[in-house]
Amino acid sequence: MAKLFIDGVWQAADGGETMPVFAPSTGQEIARIACAGASDVDRAVKAARRAVEGAWGRLTATERGRLMMRLAERILDHAQELTDLEARDTGKPMSQARADVQALARYFEYYGAAADKVHGDTIPYLNGYNIAIVKEPHGVTAHITPWNYPAQMFGRTLAPALAMGNATVIKPAEDACLSALRIVELAAEVGLPDGALNLVTGRGEEAGAALAAHPDINFISFTGSPEVGTLIQTAAARNHIGCTLELGGKSPQVVFADADMDLALPTVQKAIIQNAGQTCSAGSRLLVQRSVYDGFTERLAESFAKVRVGPHHIDPDCGPVINPAQRARVQGYIDRARADGIPVIAEAQYVPDLPAGGYYVLPTLFGPVPRGNALACEEVFGPVLSILPFEDEEDAVRLANATEYGLVAGVWTRDGAKAQRVARRIRSGQVFINCYGAGGGVELPFGGVKKSGHGREKGFMALEEFCVTKTVVNYHG
Ligand code: NAP
Ligand code: MG
């Protein structure tokens, strides 16, 4: 569908330009999408403005919520179709794509149900005054999403914005936007008013930049790299509007000597293999207490070597990465680490008959990684796990905090008090104790500190990001 979805209608981009979309599992072209330019983005923002001032803006919160819950049901009715589309477009294993589509539906269900439960307050003030605190939508919100979890990101950013009554424009990533193109159609089918949800595909530097800089948007929700995050925040500053930035991570998994190793092992592995490591909250730094370092590493190596890498449709443990540039980037980290003499502890394996044109890299386990090495501090965004030994609790906290990022952390220990102490001292948006994983929990506030960004998505808190507080002061004598 090489068209844009604006004001409830499929429209060609003004420039008429389209670009190919490739399947990471095979490298073959599977679709073409439209390349929006500034004039298309302007049309989408104007449609959103009309919606928020018109039919969409007049709906009650309950009516908005009902439409969203209907969309959730429609997504579930089309779960197989969306799963196939998502897996083909991103290369992720079928079972992971299936879970992502369930999460997408869950976002619309959760925020649909929440739409009429956000309310303001009154404040005691001077005699003769009634003070009402009212929650209002921003107006038109802009949403720019990455390619790693396209369906989930769609739900995560748009559902709370729509629940609060904003009209929206989304610019998904050019590498994986096929599920988004289908979801906006499903939304129209359940009766979402024209202009409430507009979709512009195209290049980040063109469509994305035009959207972020548009003078008539009122808020930006961005998920992606820290570099583009800086551009987004600069664009927001020029228009004096707010934004949330969900950026990358280099999240630590801290394994103490007293941890339940059987519990920790499969989770630690999954946290780096899932989505071929292209997860902002990937547990990409494994910190293991020195006294159990050899034993834990040995067991992990054994299971890591059994990880099967292959095309999405055979539902392997790990699929390809998103595109050739990402493959080169990840492979570059692996090659440099080897050249630096960092020991390879284990490598996964390719399935037989790997499609020749796919974008595959072999998941690799490195350790011990020197503390200052790039692999210990930079986000690889691929299936590369760095293991570092630590001495004691103090050292663990220091090491856990020793990157520019602060998104998620895992703490593994049977000592409840120690787990609490460490969790409080790690600087990150989420900490998991004896478990790990941000993906599933639609209910759990999520977001970063430091270079991982600011603002919170997911959970009830996300609704606060998508509204403004108005104080109405009424003197009644
Ligand atoms: P990216 O290059 O920053 O792209 C993210 C989005 O921004 C895409 O839609 C992209 O469009 C668009 N974009 C690119 N340049 C732009 C510009 N100049 N102005 C406006 N928009 C622009 O990131 P990515 O490579 O897709 O994703 C990988 C990064 O995202 C990693 O660092 C990862 O950690 C982070 N991430 C974070 C989270 C989180 O929740 N914290 C979740 C997922 C990913 P095009 O792709 O079409 O160019
Ligand atoms: Mg693709």
Side-chain angles (χ1 to χ4, degrees):
M1 173 74 69
K3 297 242 170 97
L4 313 170
F5 192 73
I6 299 176
D7 214 4
V9 180
W10 289 108
Q11 311 181 8
D14 283 344
E17 197 193 341
T18 65
M19 69 164 89
V21 173
F22 300 100
S25 290
T26 60
Q28 281 165 4
E29 182 175 328
I30 50 169
R32 292 195 76 83
I33 54 168
C35 300
S39 62
D40 304 301
V41 167
D42 184 54
R43 227 164 47 252
V45 172
K46 287 200 167 95
R49 180 62 61 194
R50 282 195 300 277
V52 82
E53 288 173 358
W56 174 241
R58 281 193 295 273
L59 292 186
T60 65
T62 307
E63 289 166 333
R64 287 199 304 271
R66 265 192 206 132
L67 282 172
M68 293 175 61
M69 285 190 276
R70 242 184 260 158
L71 175 55
E73 271 178 36
R74 192 133 184 102
I75 288 165
L76 291 175
D77 289 343
H78 289 76
Q80 190 57 48
E81 178 197 349
L82 288 167
T83 298
D84 289 341
L85 202 55
E86 187 80 337
R88 213 148 53 99
D89 197 10
T90 60
K92 67 178 70 190
M94 292 299 286
S95 54
Q96 291 177 29
R98 189 168 299 121
D100 288 359
V101 171
Q102 295 294 317
L104 160 71
R106 181 81 188 105
Y107 278 112
F108 281 97
E109 188 181 56
Y110 179 88
Y111 289 110
D116 57 7
K117 292 162 196 72
V118 177
H119 47 74
D121 212 346
T122 60
I123 292 180
Y125 189 53
L126 304 174
N127 288 339
Y129 284 84
N130 178 37
I131 312 292
I133 304 297
V134 184
K135 302 281 179 186
E136 297 182 342
H138 290 291
V140 175
T141 53
H143 305 256
I144 299 176
T145 52
W147 43 256
N148 57 351
Y149 289 85
Q152 277 211 50
M153 292 296 152
F154 186 100
R156 190 175 95 181
T157 181
L158 286 168
L162 291 167
M164 294 310 301
N166 298 283
T168 60
V169 181
I170 179 167
K171 206 305 281 179
E174 67 203 44
D175 278 308
C177 57
L178 301 185
S179 57
L181 284 160
R182 186 69 180 111
I183 306 161
V184 293
E185 214 165 41
L186 298 178
E189 286 167 19
V190 301
L192 202 74
D194 293 347
L197 171 52
N198 304 278
L199 168 72
V200 289
T201 52
R203 297 189 184 87
E205 321 81 74
E206 291 167 17
L211 180 58
H214 197 288
D216 199 34
I217 59 167
N218 306 110
F219 190 81
I220 310 175
S221 164
F222 173 80
T223 299
S225 61
E227 295 71 27
V228 178
T230 302
L231 300 177
I232 299 295
Q233 185 150 10
T234 305
R238 290 214 172 91
N239 283 324
H240 305 286
I241 61 173
C243 64
T244 51
L245 301 180
E246 299 279 8
L247 310 175
K250 186 74 179 178
S251 299
Q253 297 257 29
V254 185
V255 179
F256 284 97
D258 62 356
D260 180 339
M261 301 301 175
D262 294 332
L263 190 65
L265 267 163
T267 308
V268 162
Q269 178 167 301
K270 181 166 173 252
I272 190 65
I273 293 300
Q274 184 179 316
N275 213 38
Q278 304 165 117
T279 304
C280 50
S281 55
S284 53
R285 278 190 305 149
L286 175 58
L287 317 182
V288 184
Q289 193 153 17
R290 194 177 294 279
S291 57
V292 293
Y293 181 88
D294 288 341
F296 189 81
T297 301
E298 224 165 86
R299 285 186 63 187
L300 182 61
E302 208 173 289
S303 88
F304 201 89
K306 292 185 191 135
V307 167
R308 292 157 52 253
V309 183
H312 64 278
H313 61 85
I314 66 162
D315 200 24
D317 305 307
C318 181
V321 297
I322 192 71
N323 58 31
Q326 187 68 11
R327 181 181 49 188
R329 179 185 142 86
V330 176
Q331 194 59 50
Y333 271 103
I334 294 173
D335 295 345
R336 277 193 301 278
R338 281 177 181 276
D340 288 349
I342 301 175
V344 172
I345 298 173
E347 278 180 327
Q349 48 182 293
Y350 290 130
V351 298
D353 304 322
L354 199 67
Y359 315 137
Y360 299 96
V361 285
L362 211 47
T364 310
L365 193 55
F366 283 101
V369 174
R371 295 191 175 196
N373 189 274
L375 268 197
C377 357
E378 293 175 21
E379 182 180 49
V380 177
F381 223 54
V384 179
L385 181 58
S386 312
I387 315 187
L388 290 84
F390 69 84
E391 306 303 331
D392 53 18
E393 187 177 326
E394 199 59 34
D395 194 33
V397 170
R398 190 180 318 119
L399 196 51
N401 286 331
T403 75
E404 292 178 281
Y405 294 100
L407 194 57
V408 177
V411 181
W412 299 86
T413 171
R414 284 193 173 93
D415 179 340
K418 180 162 65 184
Q420 283 299 323
R421 284 195 303 271
V422 173
R424 299 300 167 101
R425 293 180 65 197
I426 290 181
R427 293 205 61 212
S428 69
Q430 289 188 330
V431 181
F432 290 84
I433 299 172
N434 295 329
C435 58
Y436 193 84
V442 166
E443 303 82 354
L444 315 179
F446 176 74
V449 299
K450 305 198 290 186
K451 197 175 166 181
S452 293
H454 54 76
R456 290 295 174 265
E457 294 192 322
K458 308 177 103 175
F460 218 77
M461 279 184 92
L463 295 161
E464 291 289 333
E465 303 279 6
F466 288 106
C467 63
V468 281
T469 297
K470 180 183 278 175
T471 308
V472 180
V473 181
N474 177 192
Y475 177 66
H476 53 72

